[in-house]
Amino acid sequence: MIIPMNKDAKYDPAKIELKWQKKWTKDKLYQTKEDSKKEKFFVLDMFPYPSGEGLHVGHPKGYIATDIISRFQRMHGKSVLHPMGFDAFGLPAENYAIKTKTNPIDSVTKNVQRYKEQLEILGFDYDWSREVNTTDPAYYKWTQWIFLQLYKKGLAYESFEPINWCPVDKTGLANEDVENGRCERCGALVEKKPMRQWVLKITDYADRLLADLDTKKPNGDTFLDWPHSIKEAQRNWIGKSEGAEIEFTLKMANNKPRFVLIHGYKGSPEQDFFPWLKKELEKRGHEVQVPALPNPENPKESEQVDYVINNCTIDENTVIVAHSLGGVVAQKALMKLNKQISGLVLVGTAITPGFSKESKSRLFHKNFTWDFDYVRINKLAQGRVAILSDTKEIHRGAFLKDMAGKLSGAFIETPAVKEHFTASEEPAILKCVTPTVSVFTTRPDTIFGVTYIVLAPEHPWVSELLSQIENKAEVEAYIAQAKLATEIERTDAKKEKTGVELKGIRAINPANSEEVPVWIADYVLADYGTGVVMAVPAHDERDFAFAKKFGLPTKHVVMEPITVMSGITTFRPDEPIVYRNVIRAVVKHWSEDKYLVLTWKDDGRKSFISGGIEGDEDTIVAAKREIEEETGYTDLDFISYIGGKVRARFYAPIKNQNREDLQQGILFQLKSNKNVGISEAEQKIHAIEWMSLEDARKVMDPTLVDFITVNRLIANNQTYTGEGVLCDSGSFTGKDSGLIKKDITLSVGGQWVSKYKLRDWVFSRQRYWGEPIPLIHCKKCGVVPVPEKDLPVKLPKVKSYEPTGTGESPLADIHKWVNVKCPKCKSPAKRETNTMPQWAGSSWYYLRYMDPKNKNALVDPKKEKYWAPVDMYVGGAEHATRHLIYARFWHKFLYDIGTVSTTEPFIKLQHVGLIMGEDGRKMSKRFGNVVNPDDIVKAYGADTMRLYEMFMGPFDQQIAWSTSSMVGVRRFIEKVWRLRETVSKKEVSQDTLSELASSAAGSQSPALLPKRPSNSSSSETVNRILHKTIKKVTADINTMSFNTAVSTLMIAVNELEKIESITRDQFELLLKLLAPFAPHAAEELWYSVGNKTSVHISSWPVHDESLIVETEVNIIVQVNGKVRASFKVEVNTNDSELEARAKDIPEVKKWLDGRLVKKVIVVKGKLVSIVVV
RNA sequence: GCCGAGAUGGCGGAAUUGGUAGACGCAUACGACUCAAAAUCGUACGGAGAAAUCCAUGGGAGUUCGAUUCUCCCUCUCGGCACCA
């Protein structure tokens, strides 16, 4: 595109830009040092990935901004660190290598070179002596070092769990690399594949990553000055939710063990927990025997053992639970019987005569023998042995732990309700003998509404229970199918729900002891929460959809907040309330899509049919009765209940009483128009009408229950997921659901916990072009870290980069490299062949800029202390939940091990809005809308491009490129150029003037343009213009409002242009303001007026407020809020005079004539607002 | 569905704590300069109207002397998350 430009202009960027770039480099103008006398400023760009395509015009936008900030801060006398580097490991370079069979090192070197050239022509002030490259072994030595530290702290672990696998790129992916079930890089559908991999425990840092987003400074500002949207995206990604973890006991229909409960010394079946445990077990359908052992006060071994053998049924279906000395009896009986049993639970049992903390000797010490064949006991109990120990019994506990070891039994240490398990209820024992599953819920308040529970198909219990499931084949088929489905298929919320009931297993709701069915379904995710959901279809949409599909019941336990009626039915607070259960019936026409609506004759309100339920009358019967009474229709079918229960409080005028109704909606359909008529009394009260639901919605009062009902019918919304008042919830009935969540959790023995959506970081890539993971696998020693002195583990050259898809990277074939000696035992071992993901190197690169050449440490602590943290970080918002989370995670870890001194890496973050193509689409080769910065610089100059990108619009906003609009900023620079000629001649030597002329393009002599006679050539006017500009530009750079900063400069130049001449000092002020934006032009002009050192190391001007103050202000006059006139006045004119002046203006008088002035508002220095009637 | 950001002339956008809506730039029109063109300079530039004046910041209400700005509801656009219990 050809844009008309001033060919005669003396401004020729091609002549000056390269010249200054060379000089700045030669002078090392931008090399920076740790200077303890100066304040530091660390301004950072997200470093680029050098692709083969080079930069397009959108990439430098952020770099221009940081360059402006960097120069601005340098001119403030700060020591500025503004570095640049390259992130070059990863798939694009590797895929290119595969295609061209070249070593990625070569293409990376070439691309980096090209990128640097493109950056250099824009005149950035990077300190290139600090350049880093993630693929440089001297750099990735430290990436590997960080991995080793993570490994040593247990934060890197080997896992064999199924992970996201991209079948095209043939590598595992982190959760963060998957977008909507597809590989973020290539778009292929991601599969679940079990795979050996290295995983970083980022979840250990979830809480801190979340909390520090909001950490406040002492002054109340948040420590992280980040865009709200990025913080929010991170919060979302971490996904903390608080809720309850509650245990549900499972009950099996088959394989019901029978229990023999054996009491201890001085015990009996009526004492301690025995009666309660017996009842609880029987409730679950178990047969229970509790023998009363002879002589409990003075027990003898053989007497008690024989009693058990002779009086109890002990076989392979028997579980023996024995308390205290009963445990000895049980073991002895078992040894004597020598028969297999189903299980043995020893509760606070006795082991030797000296087990108790009481030293006094007891008779039974002698009457019992204290030898046990633990191996045999374990065998007889089929390995199912559990030993319960009360945490309060420290002395006994030590013995029990030892015993558990010998018995190879489960040692369960738990606080008993009463010491030595002597309370009347000891839930720990029950838990031990009955299998339970733990559910996670954020709505424990709805627990009374649970009608089934659902396990994830992968839940470990499912395979454990398989033998006891009646429909085993069906369940296995479902699990197999769930495994086959891709992530995207499984997690599609719109998909119809699937699932299978585990027949023969029931779960017991701990809130009300109700038995509910147990299902597995793939809508429950194995790796979130506990992998088990308590389903409350009445108050959760997913549960409802599932319940509806499989015909599971719905139970409402939360009433919607009360609806408060008005008018004739306004509640009368002083009178008593009658509480009722009420039906609200909607009756559909026999042939049309219309419904019965009543119009109340007293106040004209419209409602559906309603009436109280009498006593224990059936709801449907009550509804039919009311329909007949109020409308006369009798021939109807029940269709369904409508939504949840709604509570309403109102005054019933007909009955003269206050009421609080708990309303249940019911839908009926008429089969015919059969009508028995209604009583005269009813006819007087209301009229009947047929309406469509939409019409009914329009005429019903939005505050009334009927409105909720009709909305539900229209939306077909059957669940109420909000908070409200509980009903049918035992002792919690009537309570506010939002307030008792924790109480209800504790009451069912649950705990209040936090869960996160964030998953651990899958850190292995089965690819070539990445940092080798510095570990060695030894057959004897297992996984052995590479000693730090042997770092870096260099990536070897290979012939084929093709990924293998086997779970190993192509490195596995480089035998020379793979086969090493174990660092520990020196026997033959193999290197880990997985490499690190692309995000590894970028997770800490900002630290290396502080000390890029250090061979002994990642960063010198002194240098780190000086430069950290990053004061300003600019980059794309697309990194919100990957790079920025990973880097924060590593940084916090490095803080924990003392490598860095701050808890957060980036204090201020600003994201760049994308530059789109001229067609509004993303700039891409594919669309052919890519604009190359080199071409733009050639045509307009780097300064024009810089100014234009800043002027386009708000920095963080996405805006389309427009080459034709660039001419405006180019004209602006030319204007500044011409302004140079108005600088008073006597202040600048002729030499420099001619020097400037000679550097100009073309040979035509510039005709001096006729100037308008200036309205004031006084220095004062110029100073006012300049100082206002200093103030605004300074403020705008600080808030990154570059577009208005540029426009402010334009305004200033437009104004200065009108003035005949300005002084050199004044012109220099302008150049300083321009310098960060257009560094070449500013430098050229700066030298041209006689300076010998760079404008970029001059000092930023400070505005003088006294020069800005205007003596005259414009006052606007409003009449009834409309602007009618304005006048100029001295700044300090007082209110009454302002009012008088305003009222005196003819244009104002016109509006005041014949009207009464009601009020006058005077805002000093701004306006007079007159209100008239 | 949930969370976040946004919607202002032909176009990109501006507007301090609510106080003259449309700064600055592009495009357009006219004029000056020129043989002419380009460039430059000047003038105009939201809509309706001859004018007075009226209407205009996605739509609708509200608070206020006064709303682009504050509150509520709705529509649309962009970004993030999404069967997260």
Side-chain angles (χ1 to χ4, degrees):
Chain A
M1 181 190 297
I2 297 155
I3 302 295
M5 272 199 301
N6 186 355
K7 287 183 209 132
D8 302 337
K10 297 199 297 179
Y11 169 58
D12 181 5
K15 281 246 166 79
I16 62 167
E17 287 178 351
L18 189 63
K19 175 179 87 182
W20 289 114
Q21 284 160 14
K22 279 184 179 156
K23 180 159 167 59
W24 294 332
T25 308
K26 199 180 122 223
D27 295 350
K28 298 187 175 169
L29 196 65
Y30 305 127
Q31 284 199 16
T32 190
K33 281 204 184 96
E34 298 73 34
D35 182 344
S36 59
K37 282 177 224 120
K38 283 188 184 173
E39 205 181 319
K40 67 95 187 181
F41 197 89
F42 187 177
V43 52
L44 180 69
D45 292 298
M46 289 185 186
F47 64 167
Y49 188 95
S51 76
E53 289 175 30
L55 292 169
H56 67 62
V57 110
H59 293 115
K61 187 175 166 191
Y63 307 153
I64 296 168
T66 55
D67 196 63
I68 289 168
I69 292 164
S70 164
R71 292 173 186 278
F72 176 74
Q73 294 292 348
R74 184 179 298 107
M75 288 172 79
H76 276 84
K78 291 184 187 170
S79 191
V80 174
L81 178 53
H82 185 216
M84 185 42 97
F86 300 92
D87 184 19
F89 268 136
L91 280 178
E94 181 172 349
N95 287 341
Y96 183 79
I98 292 169
K99 220 164 64 184
T100 61
K101 299 202 186 301
T102 53
N103 193 311
I105 291 172
D106 299 334
S107 55
V108 163
T109 311
K110 210 176 89 200
N111 292 344
V112 163
Q113 195 47 43
R114 166 107 180 91
Y115 265 59
K116 270 177 89 166
E117 280 164 20
Q118 284 191 300
L119 292 174
E120 272 162 357
I121 60 167
L122 290 168
F124 294 134
D125 70 351
Y126 294 122
D127 179 354
W128 284 109
S129 70
R130 292 172 181 261
E131 176 184 349
V132 302
N133 183 323
T134 54
T135 62
D136 178 357
Y139 178 90
Y140 68 67
K141 169 182 176 179
W142 298 103
T143 312
Q144 291 175 336
W145 179 86
I146 295 171
F147 179 88
L148 282 185
Q149 309 313 307
L150 285 159
Y151 176 77
K152 285 174 188 166
K153 295 281 174 190
L155 290 165
Y157 62 94
E158 203 172 15
S159 158
F160 297 84
E161 292 295 299
I163 52 158
N164 300 309
W165 172 263
C166 173
V168 172
D169 289 333
K170 297 200 173 89
T171 182
L173 299 173
N175 226 23
E176 287 78 10
D177 299 324
V178 181
E179 268 175 13
N180 296 322
R182 290 173 180 276
C183 169
E184 175 271 340
R185 279 234 89 83
C186 68
L189 275 177
V190 165
E191 298 166 358
K192 282 277 175 200
K193 191 168 173 179
M195 173 137 315
R196 185 190 66 83
Q197 83 240 235
W198 288 95
V199 181
L200 299 188
K201 236 181 187 171
I202 190 171
T203 50
D204 270 17
Y205 283 74
D207 227 359
R208 282 163 68 187
L209 288 170
L210 184 69
D212 281 348
L213 290 173
D214 295 314
T215 300
K216 298 267 198 303
K217 291 191 284 193
N219 70 3
D221 291 348
T222 47
F223 185 67
L224 288 192
D225 183 3
W226 284 27
H228 181 72
S229 58
I230 292 198
K231 282 192 179 183
E232 204 53 41
Q234 291 210 348
R235 278 190 202 106
N236 237 320
W237 190 259
I238 295 166
K240 178 177 180 164
S241 48
E242 288 188 27
E245 223 175 274
I246 297 168
E247 303 235 322
F248 277 62
T249 304
L250 297 182
K251 192 181 136 180
M252 322 288 163
N254 302 327
N255 185 32
K256 246 184 224 160
R258 32 193 321 290
F259 285 88
V260 172
L261 313 183
I262 300 173
H263 66 76
Y265 174 55
K266 290 190 179 174
S268 82
E270 273 68 53
Q271 274 178 36
D272 304 330
F273 58 82
F274 287 91
W276 164 81
L277 185 59
K278 180 167 190 272
K279 203 183 84 199
E280 286 295 324
L281 289 170
E282 280 171 350
K283 208 158 79 185
R284 286 164 177 75
H286 299 286
E287 198 183 304
V288 184
Q289 273 184 303
V290 192
L293 301 183
N295 294 319
E297 299 287 336
N298 183 17
K300 294 187 180 69
E301 180 180 310
S302 59
E303 189 182 36
Q304 291 207 337
V305 167
D306 289 345
Y307 188 87
V308 169
I309 290 171
N310 296 330
N311 292 283
C312 299
T313 313
I314 294 175
D315 56 26
E316 68 279 1
N317 273 326
T318 306
V319 171
I320 301 175
V321 180
H323 181 224
S324 201
L325 186 64
V328 180
V329 177
Q331 291 178 81
K332 294 284 181 187
L334 195 53
M335 294 200 306
K336 188 161 181 186
L337 262 172
N338 203 20
K339 266 169 84 177
Q340 286 222 323
I341 59 166
S342 180
L344 175 66
V345 178
L346 301 170
V347 182
T349 192
I351 310 108
T352 66
F355 60 83
S356 173
K357 63 181 178 187
E358 298 148 40
S359 52
K360 75 177 173 196
S361 144
R362 283 178 172 146
L363 274 176
F364 67 74
H365 290 172
K366 288 178 196 159
N367 294 341
F368 276 70
T369 53
W370 299 92
D371 57 320
F372 304 97
D373 183 350
Y374 287 126
V375 175
R376 191 149 63 93
I377 293 169
N378 178 282
K379 241 182 218 162
L380 291 173
Q382 303 187 56
R384 291 198 277 260
V385 181
I387 289 118
L388 262 80
S389 168
D390 180 10
T391 43
K392 289 186 282 287
E393 291 190 283
I394 298 161
H395 189 71
R396 187 195 297 265
F399 279 94
L400 289 178
K401 194 168 183 182
D402 179 54
M403 178 187 179
K406 289 175 186 160
L407 259 171
S408 313
F411 178 67
I412 301 163
E413 204 173 21
T414 174
V417 176
K418 200 172 154 195
E419 186 161 344
H420 191 46
F421 301 96
T422 51
S424 60
E425 290 183 16
E426 292 287 354
I429 303 170
L430 184 62
K431 212 171 121 180
C432 186
V433 297
T434 49
T436 63
V437 288
S438 198
V439 305
F440 174 68
T441 177
T442 54
R443 293 296 303 272
D445 49 307
T446 61
I447 193 168
F448 285 88
V450 172
T451 54
Y452 59 101
I453 70 166
V454 194
L455 315 195
E458 302 89 341
H459 194 280
W461 262 121
V462 178
S463 47
E464 194 106 342
L465 295 171
L466 219 46
S467 62
Q468 322 204 7
I469 293 169
E470 288 163 12
N471 53 339
K472 193 174 158 186
E474 196 187 355
V475 170
E476 279 176 326
Y478 183 78
I479 295 170
Q481 176 211 315
K483 255 184 204 152
L484 271 177
T486 63
E487 191 70 7
I488 209 165
E489 285 163 348
R490 273 196 60 169
T491 57
D492 181 6
K494 278 167 239 134
K495 164 194 107 162
E496 204 171 315
K497 302 245 178 309
T498 59
V500 177
E501 186 178 356
L502 303 183
K503 289 192 175 138
I505 296 175
R506 310 281 280 178
I508 295 164
N509 184 342
N512 54 13
S513 302
E514 262 176 36
E515 269 183 35
V516 294
V518 178
W519 287 68
I520 57 169
D522 65 3
Y523 83 91
V524 176
L525 308 175
D527 56 357
Y528 182 76
T530 58
V532 187
V533 171
M534 63 172 221
V536 187
H539 305 293
D540 182 282
E541 281 173 34
R542 290 157 308 180
D543 296 343
F544 181 78
F546 191 82
K548 197 169 163 189
K549 171 152 184 200
F550 294 104
L552 291 157
T554 296
K555 193 181 160 198
H556 293 278
V557 290
V558 183
M559 296 181 285
E560 289 193 27
I562 203 156
T563 58
V564 180
M565 304 194 183
S566 57
I568 193 166
T569 52
T570 303
F571 186 74
R572 304 187 178 177
D574 300 333
E575 293 181 39
I577 309 175
V578 176
Y579 293 89
R580 307 188 315 161
N581 284 318
V582 164
I583 58 92
R584 190 149 293 260
V586 182
V587 178
K588 195 178 180 191
H589 193 269
W590 54 90
S591 62
E592 294 172 56
D593 190 24
K594 284 186 170 172
Y595 300 79
L596 265 181
V597 173
L598 307 181
T599 305
W600 293 74
K601 289 180 176 167
D602 52 8
D603 66 347
R605 70 187 189 276
K606 311 264 186 187
S607 82
F608 294 117
I609 299 138
S610 77
I613 301 171
E614 319 281 347
D616 51 6
E617 188 183 20
D618 180 80
T619 311
I620 296 171
V621 172
K624 284 188 169 171
R625 175 175 47 72
E626 289 292 342
I627 293 166
E628 186 181 332
E629 271 175 32
E630 295 190 4
T631 71
Y633 288 107
T634 53
D635 192 16
L636 22 83
D637 276 339
F638 166 75
I639 303 292
S640 68
Y641 289 105
I642 304 162
K645 292 182 179 177
V646 182
R647 198 163 58 127
R649 221 175 230 212
F650 62 99
Y651 183 79
I654 295 153
K655 302 281 162 76
N656 290 318
Q657 58 188 206
N658 269 327
R659 280 183 175 170
E660 184 173 315
D661 283 359
L662 178 51
Q663 311 225 12
Q664 172 66 61
I666 307 185
L667 181 62
F668 289 94
Q669 166 136 35
L670 284 174
K671 282 187 280 189
S672 69
N673 62 353
K674 198 172 138 198
N675 192 309
V676 297
I678 56 172
S679 70
E680 257 180 55
E682 289 284 353
Q683 283 183 41
K684 271 185 198 156
I685 299 171
H686 45 63
I688 298 168
E689 208 174 335
W690 289 102
M691 285 183 148
S692 72
L693 285 177
E694 282 72 21
D695 289 341
R697 185 180 189 277
K698 279 179 208 149
V699 297
M700 278 171 175
D701 185 336
T703 64
L704 297 188
V705 176
D706 301 271
F707 191 72
I708 297 176
T709 306
V710 73
N711 275 341
R712 282 246 179 82
L713 276 170
I714 290 171
N716 194 21
N717 181 6
Q718 306 272 311
T719 61
Y720 172 64
T721 55
E723 307 283 356
V725 174
L726 294 175
C727 57
D728 291 334
S729 294
S731 62
F732 292 94
T733 297
K735 298 269 169 61
D736 190 321
S737 67
L739 300 175
I740 49 77
K741 289 186 179 183
K742 286 185 186 172
D743 294 343
I744 217 165
T745 302
L746 294 177
S747 80
V748 295
Q751 319 174 44
W752 197 252
V753 295
S754 299
K755 298 282 177 195
Y756 300 89
K757 286 200 278 187
L758 185 73
R759 303 290 144 78
D760 278 341
W761 180 6
V762 172
F763 201 67
S764 284
R765 297 292 176 274
Q766 290 72 33
R767 301 283 305 212
Y768 167 72
W769 191 233
E771 301 89 343
I773 291 178
L775 295 173
I776 290 166
H777 297 271
C778 168
K779 273 189 185 151
K780 280 188 200 159
C781 313
V783 175
V784 180
V786 171
E788 282 179 25
K789 66 172 171 52
D790 295 342
L791 293 182
V793 175
K794 282 195 193 169
L795 191 60
K797 286 200 174 177
V798 298
K799 281 200 187 100
S800 166
Y801 308 101
E802 203 76 46
T804 63
T806 59
E808 299 293 327
S809 81
L811 295 176
D813 287 338
I814 314 298
H815 303 294
K816 256 191 186 165
W817 182 82
V818 169
N819 295 310
V820 287
K821 276 184 184 163
C822 170
K824 256 193 199 164
C825 69
K826 308 294 173 203
S827 58
K830 281 183 187 298
R831 284 194 191 279
E832 170 64 58
T833 63
N834 282 342
T835 55
M836 298 189 198
Q838 216 207 305
W839 306 101
S842 60
S843 293
W844 70 280
Y845 73 109
Y846 55 95
L847 294 170
R848 194 61 179 171
Y849 287 134
M850 300 171 183
D851 193 7
K853 305 210 164 70
N854 195 329
K855 285 189 176 152
N856 305 312
L858 186 155
V859 57
D860 179 88
K862 270 187 218 146
K863 292 184 176 173
E864 189 276 336
K865 206 143 200 167
Y866 181 75
W867 290 117
V870 175
D871 298 282
M872 169 63 82
Y873 194 22
V874 176
E878 68 274 18
H879 293 109
T881 53
R882 301 157 98 194
H883 162 61
L884 287 170
I885 286 212
Y886 293 148
R888 290 182 65 218
F889 163 43
W890 275 29
H891 192 91
K892 284 179 185 305
F893 170 71
L894 292 172
Y895 173 79
D896 290 348
I897 61 169
T899 307
V900 299
S901 60
T902 62
T903 54
E904 284 286 338
F906 319 118
I907 288 297
K908 186 172 166 68
L909 176 74
Q910 177 68 50
H911 63 242
V912 204
L914 272 182
I915 292 182
M916 312 303 278
E918 298 212 54
D919 55 3
R921 292 183 293 184
K922 221 171 172 170
M923 258 191 210
S924 159
K925 229 180 181 176
R926 188 157 39 118
F927 301 137
N929 58 359
V930 175
V931 181
N932 186 314
D934 310 35
D935 298 342
I936 296 295
V937 170
K938 219 173 273 167
Y940 297 91
D943 285 339
T944 298
M945 179 173 147
R946 293 170 58 114
L947 277 166
Y948 172 63
E949 293 207 359
M950 293 300 99
F951 182 64
M952 294 174 85
F955 182 66
D956 58 356
Q957 197 172 298
Q958 165 182 318
I959 299 173
W961 178 265
S962 163
T963 303
S964 62
S965 296
M966 292 192 67
V967 70
V969 283
R970 167 70 190 243
R971 282 178 191 148
F972 161 69
I973 302 177
E974 287 166 4
K975 280 184 192 176
V976 179
W977 219 258
R978 287 199 296 271
L979 202 60
R980 161 70 180 76
E981 287 154 16
T982 71
V983 174
S984 331
K985 291 208 169 89
K986 57 186 166 188
E987 295 197 54
V988 184
S989 74
Q990 264 336 102
D991 290 355
T992 47
L993 255 185
S994 54
E995 202 178 283
L996 177 69
S998 72
S999 74
S1003 54
Q1004 284 163 321
S1005 75
L1008 265 176
L1009 298 153
K1011 287 281 165 199
R1012 288 177 70 211
S1014 54
N1015 36 12
S1016 159
S1017 62
S1018 77
S1019 221
E1020 254 173 69
T1021 312
V1022 177
N1023 281 338
R1024 176 145 68 237
I1025 294 166
L1026 286 171
H1027 282 255
K1028 268 162 86 175
T1029 308
I1030 295 168
K1031 185 179 180 181
K1032 176 80 173 132
V1033 170
T1034 308
D1036 281 350
I1037 294 177
N1038 277 318
T1039 57
M1040 308 208 50
S1041 314
F1042 303 114
N1043 56 333
T1044 51
V1046 174
S1047 89
T1048 304
L1049 288 169
M1050 286 174 169
I1051 292 167
V1053 169
N1054 288 348
E1055 287 180 22
L1056 292 174
E1057 218 179 20
K1058 297 187 180 116
I1059 288 161
E1060 223 160 307
S1061 81
I1062 60 174
T1063 66
R1064 174 180 160 182
D1065 286 351
Q1066 288 169 333
F1067 188 57
E1068 285 185 352
L1069 275 186
L1070 181 73
L1071 292 180
K1072 285 182 177 188
L1073 298 181
L1074 184 65
F1077 297 90
H1080 312 90
E1083 188 81 317
E1084 175 75 15
L1085 292 170
W1086 177 260
Y1087 274 85
S1088 85
V1089 293
N1091 288 295
K1092 301 288 181 217
T1093 55
S1094 173
V1095 65
H1096 301 297
I1097 51 171
S1098 70
S1099 63
W1100 188 257
V1102 180
H1103 79 275
D1104 181 345
E1105 192 70 37
S1106 67
L1107 292 174
I1108 297 176
V1109 174
E1110 305 269 356
T1111 50
E1112 253 191 356
V1113 280
N1114 198 34
I1115 303 290
I1116 58 161
V1117 187
Q1118 295 184 338
V1119 180
N1120 282 356
K1122 295 214 154 142
V1123 178
R1124 295 301 178 190
S1126 70
F1127 61 93
K1128 289 215 161 158
V1129 81
E1130 284 272 308
V1131 168
N1132 285 321
T1133 314
N1134 65 34
D1135 288 9
S1136 52
E1137 196 184 332
L1138 283 174
E1139 186 178 337
R1141 289 271 312 263
K1143 282 180 176 168
D1144 204 37
I1145 301 169
E1147 287 89 25
V1148 177
K1149 271 185 176 166
K1150 192 168 79 184
W1151 293 95
L1152 303 183
D1153 256 7
R1155 295 182 215 206
L1156 181 68
V1157 174
K1158 205 174 128 197
K1159 197 172 168 188
V1160 178
I1161 295 138
V1162 181
V1163 181
K1164 211 171 165 185
K1166 282 222 171 106
L1167 67 83
V1168 178
S1169 181
I1170 303 166
V1171 188
V1172 295
V1173 243

